[in-house]
Amino acid sequence: MTEFNVDFELCSVLFLWMLFVISKLRKRLEGYQSPVFQIYLYLVMASNFLNVVTTYALQYHDTLPAFWNWGLNVLFLSIQMILPGVFIMYIYRKLPEVTDIERKLVKTTVIPALLGVLMVLSSPLTQMVFYFDEEGYHHGWMHIYLYINFIFYSITALFLAVRWRKKVGWKEFPLLFTMIGVNVVAVLVQFAVPDIMLAGVGAAMSVFIMYFTCESNVSFIDPVTGSLNRAALTDRMKTDYGRYETADIYAVAPDNFKLINEMYGLDGGNAILHVLSARLSKAFGDKNVFRFGGDTFAVIVADQRERDPGEEIREIVGQQFSIGDAEVLLSACLGLVHVKNHPLNELMSAVEYAVAEAKALGKGEFFEVEENAAKAMARKKAIESTMLQHIREGHFEVHYQLIYDIRRKGFYSMEALARLKVPEYGYVSPEEFIKMAEKNGSITQLGLIVLEECCRFISESNLHELGIDFIEVNLSMVQCIQPDIHRDVLRIMQKYQVPTHMINFEVTESVAASSEELLLRNMERFTEQRIHFSLDDYGSGYSNINYLVDLPFSIVKIDKYVVWAAMKNETSRIILENTIRTFKNIGLRVVAEGVEDQAMVDMICAMGTDYIQGFFYAKPVPKDQIVDRLKDEMKRREEEDHVEEESGSEGSV
């Protein structure tokens, strides 16, 4: 009987046990590892261990019971037949998506492995793969099938790696090639020198490469909380999407966490996030808790639980958090995403959508992304994509709404309003895409593009001769706190040779409330250049009149809802009338927004308002229509003046 050298296999067994211990100690990383990798690791460990035990047992075949050697060899050789097929599945599971044809192709590769296992299992009767006699262990007439099976899977793995190189990724392609190569070399050496056992060494090396190059990247750990991060969640879904088709993902977003950071500092906020992560991990398992971004966590719930997961999460968030001597109580918005309702490439967007909608509903609210929410997500994605395309091209559609001067009985200014037309959805509300622009950081660029469109319009149309004193342009919160915003604005105005008094910036109450100090600094720089400001949407927020005392506004625009309320309610009417009188007494000009009929015009005029903005006089329209409207208005006024002159002449006669 051949004497086998198993020294290398013994080393590989020790090596794999060390790797196994490392994997368990780094259990946070194990949380997102592919289950196929786990299976492959355990099978290789079992195979190499059985190889050593079986080889030593063969030396005592004449003293051991027959079933012992037969059983060990059947188990060892069956695993050897299965291992290459599991490696194919490792490559397959790393793909984000495959076609039905590719899925069927992979499934057919199980046939040679099953055939080999059947041969091994039947060997005690057929002696196909191995057998025993008085002299000991012998290879059967189909033992070579072990090598044929390995060669088949090696060729298949190479073919699939090349075929799917773009899906697997060019960076991982050389790694897969290396893993296949070390196994091929080990098997070829063993085939040439049968008494040296090396096949297990090749498999162990491939496990090593899998773990340290593909599976155990520490970049999947969030440094603040120690939990898995968003990249880990993405990787988990990429490799195990099919396994989680019936799972749910809960998005947990603590309310008003910005206030926590302001009160207790960044370290205090991070301490709370760390504790919250630990509590969620204890309840749902550290493999299922991810810091999704900022103060938001994602929790995978893949199994049935006795309690509603949402209630559990609320209870965890509602527990007291200690920061030094202070006790902090939190609440959170929850979003729920059903994995089965979304394709893999839209899953992270669905979680973002759930968080955003829950926050939009208010403090402590819950939002479940229904199956038909895919349409809403697709719409949101189309809006953002179209908006970014316009920004990249440096052009944005702008409409203008004329503002009526009561004293002059004509239009004296207009407001510039950004408009976005999305293919298949038409025009969308500015509230939608402006919020997106603020969130993705493109709002400053968008605002400057709108300003440039206005300056170009002023330059081309000579609006001053058409009776327009200035155009009102909205200034976003982000723009208000930019230290160099005045330079960008002046550069654009100088480019089109637009007088500075032709631009008036509108700032909302929310902007004034959140960044008063920075806003004042920028407003002073602008007013030095004769660029003035309006406070927009007064009455829609806290209606703090201190903004008008502390900040250099020249115009106040009363929010349309305040005007509408005054038409329906006597108390609201009295408040509005006194508010307008107060503004007038401190030297501010007043614009009433949302005026839609003659009754509203009469009420507003009686209260002493200076200007009217609303559909009754003009709707927002493109610049060409604005010019035509202004020319018609000028022509009408000239005719009226001419009639008055004639009437005056007749009277004198």
Side-chain angles (χ1 to χ4, degrees):
M1 185 181 72
T2 304
E3 293 289 334
F4 296 103
N5 187 329
V6 294
D7 292 345
F8 294 108
E9 297 291 78
L10 273 171
C11 290
S12 71
V13 170
L14 294 174
F15 170 82
L16 287 169
W17 272 105
M18 290 175 60
L19 190 64
F20 176 76
V21 171
I22 291 172
S23 175
K24 290 301 177 184
L25 289 175
R26 302 175 74 180
K27 56 186 179 180
R28 293 244 182 224
L29 291 174
E30 181 187 325
Y32 72 87
Q33 287 171 346
S34 164
V36 178
F37 166 77
Q38 300 287 340
I39 293 170
Y40 191 73
L41 170 62
Y42 298 145
L43 286 177
V44 172
M45 288 178 64
S47 172
N48 289 18
F49 178 74
L50 284 170
N51 194 8
V52 174
V53 173
T54 302
T55 302
Y56 280 116
L58 290 177
Q59 298 177 19
Y60 305 99
H61 72 280
D62 52 347
T63 59
L64 291 173
F67 72 84
W68 181 260
N69 276 310
W70 281 101
L72 284 174
N73 277 277
V74 165
L75 188 57
F76 166 66
L77 293 173
S78 294
I79 293 175
Q80 286 288 300
M81 291 290 187
I82 293 171
L83 268 177
V86 176
F87 184 76
I88 294 291
M89 290 303 299
Y90 172 78
I91 299 176
Y92 170 72
R93 291 296 293 273
K94 290 188 78 64
L95 301 176
E97 55 184 15
V98 292
T99 64
D100 289 338
I101 296 176
E102 289 169 336
R103 189 176 290 106
K104 291 176 182 178
L105 175 65
V106 172
K107 288 180 178 179
T108 59
T109 60
V110 74
I111 296 174
L114 292 177
L115 185 61
V117 172
L118 290 174
M119 290 181 183
V120 171
L121 293 174
S122 65
S123 287
L125 299 175
T126 62
Q127 301 183 348
M128 292 177 68
V129 180
F130 71 96
Y131 64 93
F132 289 91
D133 59 18
E134 294 78 8
E135 297 180 0
Y137 174 83
H138 299 278
H139 290 164
W141 59 280
M142 280 300 290
H143 188 273
I144 195 173
Y145 187 79
L146 277 168
Y147 299 98
I148 295 173
N149 183 62
F150 177 79
I151 291 170
F152 166 78
Y153 280 109
S154 296
I155 294 172
T156 304
L158 286 171
F159 169 77
L160 293 178
V162 173
R163 173 73 178 81
W164 293 334
R165 62 188 179 278
K166 292 183 180 179
K167 293 181 180 179
V168 174
W170 282 105
K171 291 182 179 179
E172 295 195 28
F173 179 67
L175 301 174
L176 294 172
F177 187 84
T178 303
M179 283 186 274
I180 296 167
V182 295
N183 280 280
V184 170
V185 171
V187 170
L188 289 177
V189 171
Q190 184 171 325
F191 183 75
V193 188
D195 58 336
I196 299 179
M197 307 296 290
L198 283 178
V201 174
M205 290 180 67
S206 66
V207 170
F208 176 85
I209 295 171
M210 281 185 196
Y211 185 82
F212 285 101
T213 61
C214 299
E215 297 288 342
S216 300
N217 192 335
V218 292
S219 65
F220 286 88
I221 299 297
D222 175 56
V224 174
T225 63
S227 65
L228 296 169
N229 59 19
R230 176 170 176 159
L233 177 60
T234 302
D235 185 80
R236 170 82 65 82
M237 288 301 151
K238 177 181 175 182
T239 55
D240 299 325
Y241 177 71
R243 177 185 169 199
Y244 286 105
E245 280 186 338
T246 59
D248 294 327
I249 299 178
Y250 282 83
V252 187
D255 296 312
N256 301 324
F257 204 78
K258 181 181 178 182
L259 183 61
I260 297 293
N261 285 329
E262 291 175 354
M263 291 178 63
Y264 301 102
L266 191 59
D267 290 340
N270 287 343
I272 289 180
L273 292 178
H274 182 81
V275 173
L276 178 57
S277 171
R279 291 175 180 175
L280 290 171
S281 296
K282 184 178 180 181
F284 295 92
D286 51 19
K287 300 177 183 179
N288 299 316
V289 176
F290 305 80
R291 189 181 182 190
F292 191 73
D295 57 7
T296 303
F297 290 89
V299 179
I300 295 178
V301 181
D303 53 358
Q304 294 292 328
R305 301 179 68 87
E306 293 182 1
R307 295 181 57 195
D308 175 49
E311 291 182 4
E312 283 190 77
I313 292 171
R314 288 193 186 282
E315 186 176 295
I316 290 169
V317 175
Q319 296 173 8
Q320 281 192 341
F321 294 84
S322 298
I323 303 179
D325 297 331
E327 298 293 335
V328 179
L329 289 176
L330 294 181
S331 62
C333 293
L334 296 185
L336 173 58
V337 174
H338 304 289
V339 175
K340 66 181 180 180
N341 291 344
H342 307 277
L344 178 61
N345 60 350
E346 294 180 3
L347 196 53
M348 295 303 106
S349 297
V351 178
E352 290 179 348
Y353 177 74
V355 172
E357 292 300 313
K359 286 185 175 181
L361 289 174
K363 182 179 177 181
E365 291 293 338
F366 172 82
F367 182 81
E368 180 178 1
V369 182
E370 301 289 351
E371 189 171 0
N372 58 4
K375 294 181 180 179
M377 290 173 57
R379 182 178 182 276
K380 186 176 180 180
K381 188 175 181 180
I383 293 171
E384 186 166 19
S385 176
T386 305
M387 178 188 67
L388 292 175
Q389 179 184 346
H390 283 301
I391 291 175
R392 284 193 300 269
E393 294 172 352
H395 172 74
F396 221 90
E397 185 175 354
V398 179
H399 288 191
Y400 301 88
Q401 186 174 26
L402 292 166
I403 299 175
Y404 187 79
D405 185 329
I406 295 174
R407 182 178 57 82
R408 290 195 287 185
K409 297 183 179 179
F411 300 116
Y412 90 109
S413 68
M414 63 180 76
E415 180 179 356
L417 302 163
R419 290 291 183 262
L420 183 66
K421 190 174 185 179
V422 182
E424 299 183 13
Y425 298 100
Y427 284 104
V428 299
S429 168
E431 292 183 0
E432 287 189 79
F433 66 81
I434 292 297
K435 287 181 180 178
M436 291 181 187
E438 289 176 341
K439 186 176 180 180
N440 63 30
S442 62
I443 185 64
T444 298
Q445 196 173 355
L446 190 157
L448 292 176
I449 291 173
V450 170
L451 175 64
E452 186 160 1
E453 293 287 344
C454 292
C455 289
R456 185 183 296 114
F457 180 34
I458 293 171
S459 176
E460 293 173 351
S461 306
N462 202 3
L463 292 177
H464 187 68
E465 292 185 0
L466 295 174
I468 299 299
D469 291 345
F470 56 83
I471 293 181
E472 295 186 332
V473 180
N474 287 282
L475 205 61
S476 70
M477 182 182 297
V478 177
Q479 288 176 287
C480 286
I481 61 176
Q482 295 295 318
D484 297 326
I485 185 65
H486 66 289
R487 296 177 186 172
D488 295 329
V489 168
L490 293 175
R491 174 181 53 80
I492 293 172
M493 297 181 73
Q494 289 168 4
K495 176 181 176 181
Y496 294 95
Q497 297 182 342
V498 172
T500 53
H501 68 269
M502 288 293 293
I503 294 295
N504 186 85
F505 284 123
E506 289 189 2
V507 177
T508 62
E509 275 194 89
S510 58
V511 173
S514 62
S515 52
E516 185 173 334
E517 185 177 343
L518 292 168
L519 176 60
L520 175 60
R521 193 179 309 156
N522 280 325
M523 288 179 73
E524 288 174 344
R525 290 170 177 168
F526 281 122
T527 51
E528 289 174 1
Q529 301 293 328
R530 296 179 62 205
I531 298 175
H532 299 290
F533 283 82
S534 299
L535 179 64
D536 194 20
D537 298 335
Y538 182 86
S540 61
Y542 295 104
S543 301
N544 190 339
I545 201 167
N546 286 332
Y547 306 144
L548 302 170
V549 175
D550 299 334
L551 299 172
F553 290 106
S554 57
I555 297 174
V556 181
K557 303 184 75 172
I558 307 293
D559 187 72
K560 61 183 179 182
Y561 294 109
V562 177
V563 176
W564 293 350
M567 288 293 295
K568 301 176 182 177
N569 183 279
E570 179 65 18
T571 302
S572 298
R573 191 193 66 78
I574 294 171
I575 292 173
L576 176 58
E577 185 175 11
N578 283 282
T579 299
I580 293 173
R581 184 181 298 112
T582 300
F583 291 156
K584 298 281 288 180
N585 288 338
I586 61 176
L588 294 170
R589 289 174 287 167
V590 180
V591 179
E593 297 181 305
V595 176
E596 298 183 344
D597 55 39
Q598 187 63 53
M600 296 177 76
V601 171
D602 294 341
M603 178 189 74
I604 288 298
C605 290
M607 291 180 178
T609 305
D610 299 287
Y611 313 111
I612 297 175
Q613 182 175 353
F615 287 0
F616 181 76
Y617 284 107
K619 295 181 179 180
V621 293
K623 61 182 181 181
D624 294 338
Q625 295 183 35
I626 283 288
V627 172
D628 291 340
R629 175 74 184 275
L630 289 172
K631 288 180 179 178
D632 291 342
E633 185 71 14
M634 182 166 286
K635 185 178 179 180
R636 181 187 63 79
R637 293 181 65 179
E638 288 176 353
E639 291 175 352
E640 288 180 353
D641 291 342
H642 181 67
V643 170
E644 288 180 3
E645 288 178 3
E646 289 184 348
S647 299
S649 299
E650 291 176 1
S652 62
V653 172

